[in-house]
Amino acid sequence: MAKVILPADMGQLWEAMEAHPEARLYAGGTDLLVRLRAQAGPPPALVCLERLEELRIIEERGGELFLGAGATHAQILEHPKVRGRLPVLARALASLGSPQVRNMGTLGGNLVTASPAGDSLPPLYVLGAEVQLISRKAGRRLPITEFIKGPGRVDLNPGEVVAGVCLPKSEGWTLQHFEKVGRRDALAIALVSLAALLRLSSEGVVEEARLAWGSVGPTVMRAPQAEAALKGRPLGLASLGEAAELAGQALTPIDDLRASASYRRRVAGNLLLRLAEREA
Amino acid sequence: MNPRGFQDGRKTSRDGDLAKARGLEMFAADRYGAGMLWAGVRRAGVAHAAIEGVDTSRALAAPGVVAALTHADIKGSNRQGVIQRDQPVLADDRVRHRGDAVALVVAETRQALAAALELISLQLSELPAVFDPDQALAKGAPIIHPGHAGGNLLLGGRVETGRGEAVLAECAAMVEAEYRLPWQEHAYLETEAGWAIQEDDGRLIIVSSTQTPFRDRQEVAEALGLDPARLRMIAPPTGGAFGGKDGVSVQSLLALAALACPGRPIKMWWSREESFLASPKRHRARLRYRLGADSQGRFQALAAEIVYDTGPYDHLGGAVLTLGLEHAGGPYRIPNALIEARAVYTNNPVSGAFRGFGVPQVAAAMEMTVDLLAAKLGRDPLDLRRLNAVRRGDIIAPGVTLTGSTEIGQCLDRLEAHDLWRGRRAWKEAAGPFQRRGVGVAAVMHAVGYGPMVPDVGNAKIELGADGVFSLFCGVVEMGQGNSATYGLLAERVLGQEPGSVRLIQPDTDRCLPSGSASASRTTFTFGNAVLGAATLLRERLLARAADALLGVAPAEMALLPGRVRHLPTGKELPLDLLARLMTPEQRVAVHRHRAPASTQRPSADPVLQMHGLPHEVFSFGAVLAAVEIDELTGRLRVERLITAVDCGGLIDPLLAERQVEGAVVQGLGYGLYEEFLAREGRVLSPDLATYIIPTALDAPEMETVFVPGHEESGPLGLKGVGEVGIDGPLPALANALRDAVGDCPRRFPLTPERVLEALAGAGERGGRP
Ligand SMILES: Cc1cc2nc3c(=O)[nH]c(=O)nc-3n(C[C@H](O)[C@H](O)[C@H](O)COP(=O)(O)OP(=O)(O)OC[C@H]3O[C@@H](n4cnc5c(N)ncnc54)[C@H](O)[C@@H]3O)c2cc1C
């Protein structure tokens, strides 16, 4: 039987982590428990983050929006500050897993798992999220692009936990878009996904574009060339087609059981074309 | 999903849908017990090898281990299987696929079991293996069963009618195509599981998740060298089976474990990965079809060549092949045909029984080919089917005359009249940006029952208990279809009792009577008639006894009413519990044996094909209309609506019948769109439900089931089987819809977004948009 520690406040958490440095942290367990099941040998001690109110906060802080790492996807989705104002994130979370998985899984878990297919990640990249880390003695904050270093690799030191992510004040995006391509409509791992933020002038000219793709590289991928190809031009199939071409060149997908690299590359570009049909 | 489900206030499944949904229905896997041991097997891990030794000593010495057994501990034939007994309980001389069980361990806990299984050392000397059926039949291929007369050919079958394939050359229009259908995994909720104990008197009780408790008893007894009377098999409702439990999985292993550990309950429960590796799949198949018609569009000739990859053991592969052969030409009049089918041994995972039983593969090939022919002839595909569809008395491609009820014409008429078909052009044109829409049709038929040789028998037993409550002893397993609820309805109807009042006893070889497998669309068809017979017998006996007791002159003066018998002329009543106590226990029990009609036609002189089920006497029919939307950017194919018109004769419980069709449709869509069981060199590449994608509730389209009126003389209340006919049509219907939408359709399945995108690109290059 695994030892499971359920700290009720941050003090107890630090104590538990110090007393059991070998223990694994988990929140919803929807990633960790699946991985542990596949492991041979006795299960490690577990420290559960579920009861820590401090990690579940969702609030505005000095113009930023703070999303606690322990908030479940369902909680974030239901929050008025997300649902109304951050459709790019809301759409992504609404496509994550199934109702059961969204009720258990957390933002922190999705971040630390750092899968290239993690559905919250492309929106967080385009939104310019920063990750807030805390330990018993200190805290630090770093851009998500630095926090996530590779598939399953993050900049997290022993004794640290993720407190949450900070999203800068929304920059007047005219169009927020997320689309995930999966093998089915629920419980689908992304074959490719796209998060896009566009700011258009009143004439429909792209002033700024931010694009991020999931499942087409070791981490979420950006394609600055594609973003540049959209900037200063009216949003339409012509500019999007060009951007799609450039994106296809920039991304580095792999073949796996679910889809081939060439499919992913092609569809990653194609997904941009959908923006032509999205109403601003 | 029919929204009527719970709302119409009709309770159909007496065990309760809600209880099932809440997990309260007890499966074999749910059984535990004080002092229970865990049993598990060490699997070979190589595809083909000679076994030089199996050393269990380190496992036996490990903490918590109670027994570690090998084939040397087996006293019987160590062979199981339904037709050819070619599968060892524990591999002895040879390993024939990676999932072969080589040693059995019994331990105090699951952890101790897992650790001990690792400690078993296998000395294997690898043999060249073969994974492709064509290569398996080539000269010099490694032979998987050296004793088998056909080499790697488990069974080959050939039927030629009329002037055979020669007629193709004379046809005004001829099309040909080759298709590949993948393995399909049953993916039931409850993986293979069971529980056993050897009691003080030496009897073995085995509770398992099975479709075939009576046959299991015989197989286990033979394989382990036991007196069958020593075995008591109990078969609770299963958490799904779909053919995957039509045969022995844990049963012999549990019996062997129980022999070694008397007095202790023992449980075996395969993990999902183990189930994927070791349980049978739907046969993957390669099919080459040529179909020709005259200038009017009348089908003239069919040539079909079908190769089934059966894996290393005969898990009903011969029967699958034979059913494929019989259904190869679909529900059409085709006067000239050459149909050849082969089931081939390979070192891949085992293939076997799966809802549809060889028919989904041929229905896919035939129905896609019919659409190719329609395109070539410039004919409307539904119209072409109506022109060629069989009527009662017609002869299908393998030369079988349809003597039973045959309502495929009505099924097609209903689709033709459907607003989806009538309005298809407008619907297609209304597709949004980057979307294409298409509508496709398929027509299918499905045999009911075992065929001419294997006795298709049900033995029903009904008892009036001393408490005045009737019990119905079911001989066929309840595997989620609600068949026992239907038996209850039949018995209540004859016995004049309230719905839901008859107690249902699930199969138990000590209490119920052998009635064959829960398979082959035969369950209600065959056992239902046995129930009617037993109920009628018992009613007559009760009325006669009551007439005596109430001084009635004749049973005709008596009425069997809920809970009582009334003497009509006087109004005097006798409660059933009192009546029961006026009778001896033997008098209160009625049994009836029913054998389903066996065809006397002989379309093939080959006795082996006859034994494997050619031909059948009764068929159900179905026609499917599928409306799909395809995203040009991603290749995502979404089935928007799916209409199934079904001829399953009379209906006893329309809601249960509709659920059979809907369940089959969703499983059929899984086959067509999502499910891709992959193995390379016999190694499973899709080992779990994260990699093997099955449809979820969200993926189910809007479904509609239309039952056309029909009556089958030989069925109980005129019904025919409905368990399988729904799975044959969805794949070809949606493939035809895809072709309708984009002008092309892959010939490999499932239709992943990637394959669909390729089809779009291919059709685009040829300017193929219709
Ligand atoms: C059936 C199923 C379907 C799924 N579908 C999807 C999907 O569609 N899209 C998707 O993106 N994901 C999916 N997932 C994966 C998973 O649900 C998500 O990644 C989820 O967000 C993980 O959160 P969790 O709280 O359950 O993580 P856990 O399993 O609790 O933890 C995961 C990892 O994060 C670490 N961790 C968690 N919280 C913290 C913290 N605050 N500080 C430091 N480390 C922490 C843990 O130590 C562990 O290493 C699915 C999982 C399952 C089982």
Side-chain angles (χ1 to χ4, degrees), chain A residues 25 27-32 73 96-97 101 106 109-110 112 118-119 162 180 188:
Chain A
L25 295 179
T30 60
D31 273 320
L32 186 76
H73 301 301
L96 190 151
V101 172
T106 64
N110 204 235
V112 174
D119 284 321
V162 179
K180 160 165 137 180

Side-chain angles (χ1 to χ4, degrees), chain B residues 738 742-746 754-764 766:
Chain B
L738 170 61
V742 312
D744 196 6
C745 178
E754 182 156 5
R755 293 198 175 111
V756 172
L757 202 64
E758 276 164 21
L760 267 159
R766 290 192 300 278

Side-chain angles (χ1 to χ4, degrees), chain A residues 24-35 49 55 69-70 73 95-98 101 104-110 112-113 117-120 156 160-163 180 187-189:
Chain A
R24 306 285 298 268
L25 295 179
Y26 79 103
T30 60
D31 273 320
L32 186 76
L33 299 183
V34 175
R35 282 204 296 275
L49 304 175
L55 296 186
H73 301 301
S95 79
L96 190 151
S98 61
V101 172
M104 291 301 291
T106 64
L107 190 64
N110 204 235
V112 174
T113 293
D119 284 321
S120 75
L156 186 70
E160 273 185 328
V161 301
V162 179
K180 160 165 137 180
L187 290 166
I189 299 177

Side-chain angles (χ1 to χ4, degrees), chain A residues 243-259:
Chain A
E245 193 78 19
L246 292 166
Q249 289 163 20
L251 305 173
T252 56
I254 54 161
D255 289 315
D256 67 16
L257 266 190
R258 297 183 176 93

